[in-house]
Amino acid sequence: MGPGLVLRVLSKRAQSAPAGPVAPLRSQFILPGLDGAHVARYRAALGFAPGAAAPLSYWYLPVQRAHMATLLSDAFPYRLAGIVHVENFLESHAPLPAGASVLLSTRIDVLPPGSSGAVCCALETVGTANGERIFTCTSKYLAVRGARSGKPRTGQAVVQQGPVIDSWTLGPSSGRDYARISGDWNPIHLTKWSARLMGLPAPIIHGMHTLARTCAALETMAGRPVASISVRFKAPVPLGEAAVLTRGAGPDRYVLFCAGVPAAEGAFTLA
């Protein structure tokens, strides 16, 4: 999401609330091929071992552009600034043939409002090359926040229990560094002033940076590529904080903690 696309996202205004169901939005885009040098920079920046193949999390980079381009259409009735990425699932089906272009086919469904009035969108992008499915990416975004119940939040502190897989500390430039690699220049990830401009007290790291670092750490631990990975983003990870990746409740699950709070969790499979 480069600067031009960011401006289009910030300038889009919500339409009147739709009276009924919103028809699915569909789009297709062609990714001419992968830039091997860019894949190498991505692997190095996110902690993957050197290699020529695009790691699973890399596919979200072109997918996000397809998502935003589709959501910017007049058929999508909601404002895009403030939309929240809450869940993601990536699955690899086959390696990309050398030099092949990728067809990105996206479907976006606006889900019925929840009891609080919250509205979420389900997005699925399938990447194919030469007629063969290469990967699938499904995402869930919160488009409209629901009304709060008014009841005070109560909860118990979560004790970090699983063995530690990896940890990393996010420097003050981490958001800008990832933006240069990913092309996602959302202001909430860049600087204190740009985050405050968007209503956040401090900048937070991209959710897919967290997932990519998690994917790289799991591959290092297992010595094999990750074939599928899911994530539920539970809390933001501010720049300057340490992230601690641990084993989850099962052998195929993980939990990422930040400041003692679960920030992300999910499951994975290995190739």
Side-chain angles (χ1 to χ4, degrees):
M1 190 162 59
L5 189 54
V6 168
L7 289 175
R8 290 179 62 195
V9 167
L10 294 177
S11 63
K12 179 172 181 177
R13 295 292 179 258
Q15 304 171 20
S16 300
V22 178
L25 282 69
R26 299 178 187 272
S27 66
Q28 288 190 328
F29 296 95
I30 294 289
L31 179 66
L34 293 186
D35 179 345
H38 185 260
V39 171
R41 291 197 301 274
Y42 179 91
R43 295 186 71 99
L46 278 305
F48 290 93
L56 180 59
S57 58
Y58 184 91
W59 288 117
Y60 185 78
L61 274 55
V63 165
Q64 185 185 38
R65 290 170 173 79
H67 285 176
M68 291 298 108
T70 310
L71 292 170
L72 280 167
S73 72
D74 292 337
F76 185 71
Y78 302 107
R79 189 169 183 261
L80 295 191
I83 197 168
V84 180
H85 193 182
V86 292
E87 294 179 10
N88 205 84
F89 176 71
L90 280 160
E91 184 175 15
S92 175
H93 303 291
L96 179 67
S101 60
V102 182
L103 175 64
L104 303 172
S105 302
T106 295
R107 172 178 171 140
I108 300 178
D109 291 281
V110 177
L111 304 179
S115 58
S116 68
V119 177
C120 290
C121 306
L123 303 86
E124 180 183 75
T125 298
V126 176
T128 57
N130 302 329
E132 183 179 15
R133 183 176 292 209
I134 303 301
F135 70 87
T136 301
C137 175
T138 57
S139 304
K140 186 177 181 181
Y141 286 88
L142 176 65
V144 178
R145 288 171 171 79
R148 298 195 178 190
S149 66
K151 297 178 181 179
R153 290 187 177 184
T154 59
Q156 299 178 347
V158 177
V159 178
Q160 181 179 313
Q161 294 181 337
V164 173
I165 299 172
D166 197 6
S167 63
W168 54 89
T169 299
L170 297 163
S173 67
S174 297
R176 298 189 297 276
D177 294 341
Y178 184 71
R180 293 186 187 96
I181 291 290
S182 67
D184 184 350
W185 291 91
N186 188 327
I188 65 174
H189 305 303
L190 306 180
T191 63
K192 288 183 179 180
W193 71 265
S194 63
R196 288 173 181 168
L197 190 65
M198 300 300 294
L200 272 68
I204 60 175
I205 196 62
H206 306 66
M208 294 304 289
H209 174 283
T210 295
L211 186 66
R213 287 296 303 259
T214 296
C215 192
L218 293 173
E219 291 193 357
T220 298
M221 174 193 70
R224 286 188 285 163
V226 170
S228 71
I229 189 165
S230 67
V231 63
R232 182 182 177 209
F233 299 113
K234 304 186 70 175
V237 179
L239 303 189
E241 294 284 351
V244 181
L245 180 65
T246 72
R247 284 282 196 178
D252 63 342
R253 299 198 63 83
Y254 69 87
V255 182
L256 183 125
F257 289 85
C258 179
V261 175
E265 64 181 9
F268 64 96
T269 62
L270 300 170

